[in-house]
Every structure is written in structure tokens, then in C-alpha cells.
Amino acid sequence: MYIDVAPLDIMVIDDSAYMRRIVSAMLRGFGARRIHEAEDGADALEKIEMQPPDMIIVDWVMPVLDGAELVKLIRQPNFVCAYVPIIMLTGHTERSRVLASSKLGVNHFLSKPVSAKALYNRMADCILYPRRFVSTEEYFGPEPRSQNEGQLRTQIGVALDENGMPLEQAG
């Protein structure tokens, strides 16, 4: 499976300059050319409002404005990029965090240390299989995944991992 990420504006938000460099290098390896970085949620919010990205990769734990708080601000129906795909990247992978990220409206959860394959697969899923957005009193974000969605992807030849995420096709 190949996706063309060259035309995308991708925002990488992490308080670790080292981690931003790693993720940005992976993105360049996938063909991305328009990568923007921010060192915390507050810095990201300013940059997002000036130039809304097509995809956001954000760390959970950061000073000033953390990833969860940033996602809450982004996932407001009238925000400039409320519908942008968001991948939450974190070293804190407790089940409670995974569930909390879903309730925030994150498209994907990705644990550190991140592999290029895992990042690419999450990005590909956001691009190839966008989920419609739903809005309730308590939630605004991508529609929760369904069991039927995973079965359909398997039927059309997209292999899934144990979390229902598309795997890179062999061959």
C-alpha cells in the first residue's frame, strides 16, 4: 500500500526536540516535504491557526499545553482544523490512556518508541479510510471504529493487526 504524503502539511508536536527530529525524518522518508514542528501545545495552537495542517502527530505529555488539552481545543466544531486527522504519540500506553484518547477524538494512538511502519500504517489508515465525524453533547470527532469496518477491510484485502489497524501488505 502506497500513499502520497508529499502534498500534505503535517504538524509534529512534541516537547522533545530529539523525538521531533525522529518523527520528521520518518515523514521525510515517506516522501513528506511540508513538515512543521511545535515544542508544545501552545506553540502548536499558534502555528495551526496561522496555517492549518492536513494531519497532526502529537505527544500526550508536554508542558504548557499537553496533547490531550490541545486535542480538546482542536476538536471544537468551529475550530479551523476540527476535522484534521490526529495521531496521539506517547510513551504512556496504559489502557486508560488509549481509551481516553479515543474519547478525545484522536484518530489513532501510537506508542513510543515509534516504528516507521507503525507510523506509516496509521497515516495510511487516516488517508485511505477516513471516518465520518459525529457530534454529540459529550463528543465531537471521528466515528468510533466498528467490527464491520474491520471485516470489510479484510474482505477487500487489507490485512489488520490485533488492534484492527491496517498492516503493510507483503509483496
Side-chain angles (χ1 to χ4, degrees):
M1 139 179 66
Y2 171 76
I3 55 168
D4 183 12
V5 297
L8 300 179
D9 279 303
I10 303 171
M11 172 74 66
V12 178
I13 309 158
D14 198 306
D15 58 318
S16 165
Y18 175 72
M19 187 50 99
R20 288 193 311 271
R21 280 193 306 271
I22 289 173
V23 173
S24 293
M26 288 180 192
L27 294 171
R28 280 190 297 282
F30 305 154
R33 297 295 169 252
R34 298 181 346 210
I35 303 164
H36 312 278
E37 296 183 5
E39 61 187 34
D40 60 51
D43 182 32
L45 203 52
E46 287 180 27
K47 291 177 179 179
I48 287 168
E49 289 174 341
M50 287 189 298
Q51 182 176 351
D54 299 307
M55 183 172 290
I56 294 173
I57 301 167
V58 60
D59 184 27
W60 188 302
V61 178
M62 297 181 291
V64 185
L65 185 66
D66 71 18
E69 294 165 331
L70 177 63
V71 172
K72 286 178 192 175
L73 293 171
I74 292 171
R75 289 293 190 239
Q76 299 298 314
N78 295 322
F79 189 71
V80 65
C81 64
Y83 296 88
V84 70
I86 300 173
I87 298 171
M88 181 69 77
L89 178 63
T90 184
H92 301 275
T93 58
E94 312 78 41
R95 182 167 173 73
S96 61
R97 289 240 187 187
V98 175
L99 295 173
S101 73
S102 180
K103 290 178 181 176
L104 290 169
V106 168
N107 295 72
H108 285 288
F109 188 90
L110 191 54
S111 62
K112 292 178 183 176
V114 62
S115 74
K117 181 178 179 178
L119 178 58
Y120 185 85
N121 285 340
R122 298 315 190 274
M123 291 174 64
D125 188 70
C126 289
I127 293 166
L128 298 173
Y129 307 103
R131 292 184 276 160
R132 76 181 181 95
F133 270 56
V134 295
S135 181
T136 68
E137 287 184 27
E138 300 87 31
Y139 177 80
F140 176 79
E143 186 172 51
R145 297 182 194 292
S146 70
Q147 196 65 8
N148 293 340
E149 177 183 359
Q151 292 168 354
L152 175 63
R153 289 189 195 173
T154 301
Q155 290 170 3
I156 61 173
V158 177
L160 303 175
D161 68 13
E162 67 278 0
N163 298 315
M165 301 309 307
L167 293 172
E168 191 170 272
Q169 295 295 306

